[in-house]
């Protein structure tokens, strides 16, 4: 097994193109588990931690371009205003030691249906930047997850960044697990309201072979939400929203939870995220300067 | 491959390192530093926690080649800091763990010491004062202990933080 150590993005892309089977390693928090237990022995590892471009974030148009190799700890510390739901999701990942190393790029590379960043990227309509020696392209997160751990990334491509649109309304993330730390989600959920476009985004994790959206629930809520006044929603609307979210789940029974529980839990999380979002939205109308929309 | 990095201030090299080998394995089996423990090899227990370029990480989750040129500090380096000649004195955190009965079998201890050292430098060391219990628990959430039930560990962390804080106050 070879250990390749590119120090520029160009070298990294050339290495991936020359060895499409080589396994990129960033934080290593997924890759090393496989290697330590000899589940998988690739021909080569490509260490991406030396590629400076991947470890940076900065403005991109209205939003933020987050390098694929920025660890969760930095997302929490530095991106709370630019990407509130992603920062919340990052806080819920594993433990401090894992968050110091683990990255969104690695989360997308493994594409576990339970991964914490996926519901947020779906709900906020983020894009995934993929690069190869052939060029760079941006794929909407909503088109990135194709099947169980299967994504739009081609074998010769690396994930270089995610593009996070400027928050234009409340965003929330929540996760259910058996402990407050160190758990793979039984189910997770993200909600993002876009007050400019008057649209709603959702993302559900651990309830289907891939992270998914609840499109009918999004459309329903976009129509019912009081975008001008932020009026508290009817109990029936909140309940219906939760039901529509639950209805798209196609969960399985496993050691972490039953399918029925997951379907139920994701509906409860959806209702809670909605009530937090209404509260945030009302606050932002009263005090527009304290609003995420202006952040 | 050969991997060269700094451990506890000293430059070291290991030869014939297999590409998929972990930093933990290199520290324990090739460099004679068995302080960091191997209990799970899957990032779950924190007993292999070390500083890697100033940030704590599970060394079982780091490929040895990723440490090339980096600065690693292990539990062995916590005492070194305060060494006087050949006499290595324990650090504040280590002393507090011994005094408060936070050590039983000791397997989890090295990881907890490094993680606690980091917590104290990010709180007391950064002028933020002694961390609340909730912050202590969150900082140690990735360190499992099968013996103590954690209460004595939390006590030891609090005592160590208070002593460091008193020292900082005294110096100021
Ligand atoms: C104890 C423990 C607890 C965990 N808890 C959680 C949790 O609560 N929530 C959660 O979501 N995850 C969790 N994980 C999983 C893991 O930490 C995350 O998926 C993390 O985001 C992986 O990032 P990484 O940089 O460490 O990835 P790596 O392990 O370096 O890589 C992961 C995968 O992505 C590929 N890859 C990495 N970078 C790129 C790139 N730039 N381009 C293309 N492919 C790439 C790798 O080849 C590999 O297949 C946990 C892991 C451990 C060990
Ligand atoms: S041995 Fe590394 S976390 Fe358990
Ligand atoms: S003292 Fe035995 S595992 Fe913690």
């Amino acid at each position: 097994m070879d250990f390749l150590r590119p120090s520029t993005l160009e070298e990294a892309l050339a290495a991936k193109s020359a060895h499409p089977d080589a396994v990129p390693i960033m934080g290593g928090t997924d890759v090393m588990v496989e290697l330590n237990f000899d589940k998988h022995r690739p021909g080569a590892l490509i260490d991406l931690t030396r590629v400076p471009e991947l470890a940076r974030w900065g403005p991109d148009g209205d939003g933020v371009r987050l390098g694929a190799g920025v660890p969760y700890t930095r997302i929490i510390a530095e991106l709370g205003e630019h990407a509130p739901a992603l920062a919340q999701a990052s806080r819920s990942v594993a433990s401090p030691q894992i968050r110091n190393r683990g990255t969104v790029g690695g989360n997308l590379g493994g594409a576990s249906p339970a991964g914490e960043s996926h519901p947020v990227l779906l709900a906020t309509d983020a894009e995934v930047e993929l690069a190869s020696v052939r060029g760079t392209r941006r794929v909407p997160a909503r088109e990135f997850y194709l099947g169980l751990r299967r994504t739009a990334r081609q074998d010769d491509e690396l994930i270089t960044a995610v593009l996070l649109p400027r928050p234009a309304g409340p965003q929330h993330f929540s996760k259910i697990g058996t402990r407050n730390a160190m758990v793979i989600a039984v189910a997770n959920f993200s909600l993002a309201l876009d007050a400019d476009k008057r649209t709603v985004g959702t993302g559900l994790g651990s309830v289907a072979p891939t992270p998914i959206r609840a499109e009918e629930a999004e459309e329903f809520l976009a129509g019912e939400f009081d975008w001008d006044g932020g009026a508290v929603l009817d109990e029936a609307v909140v309940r219906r929203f939760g039901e529509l979210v639950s209805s798209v789940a196609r969960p399985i029974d496993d050691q972490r939870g039953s399918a029925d529980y997951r379907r139920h839990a994701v509906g409860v999380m959806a209702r809670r995220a909605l009530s937090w979002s209404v509260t945030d939205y009302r606050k932002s109308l009263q005090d527009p300067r304290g609003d995420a929309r202006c952040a | 491959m050969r991997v060269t990095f700094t451990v506890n201030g000293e430059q070291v090299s290991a030869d014939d390192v297999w590409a998929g080998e972990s930093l933990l394995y290199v520290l324990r089996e090739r460099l004679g530093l068995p302080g960091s423990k191997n209990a799970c090899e899957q990032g779950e227990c924190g007993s292999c926690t070390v500083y890697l370029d100033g940030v704590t990480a599970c060394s079982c989750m780091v490929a040895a080649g990723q440490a090339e040129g980096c600065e690693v500090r292990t539990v062995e380096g916590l005492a070194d800091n305060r060494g006087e000649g050949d006499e290595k004195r324990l650090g504040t955190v280590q002393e507090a763990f011994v005094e408060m009965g936070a050590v039983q079998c000791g397997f989890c201890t090295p990881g907890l010491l490094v993680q606690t050292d980091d917590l104290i430098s990010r709180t007391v060391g950064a002028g933020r004062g002694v961390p609340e219990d909730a912050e202590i628990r969150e900082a140690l959430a990735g360190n499992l202990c099968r013996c103590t039930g954690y209460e004595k560990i939390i006590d030891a962390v609090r005592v160590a933080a208070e002593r460091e804080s008193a020292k900082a106050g005294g110096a100021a």
Side-chain angles (χ1 to χ4, degrees), chain B residues 24 37-48 58-61:
Chain B
L24 175 63
K37 299 297 176 227
N38 176 356
C40 74
E41 284 198 295
Q42 49 183 318
E44 293 277 352
C45 76
S47 54
C48 63
C58 296
S59 57
C60 70
M61 296 283 96

Side-chain angles (χ1 to χ4, degrees), chain B residues 79-80 82-90:
Chain B
D80 275 358
R82 297 161 42 99
E84 285 169 9
D86 286 345
E87 270 290 286
K88 281 183 187 173
R89 280 221 323 258
L90 295 182

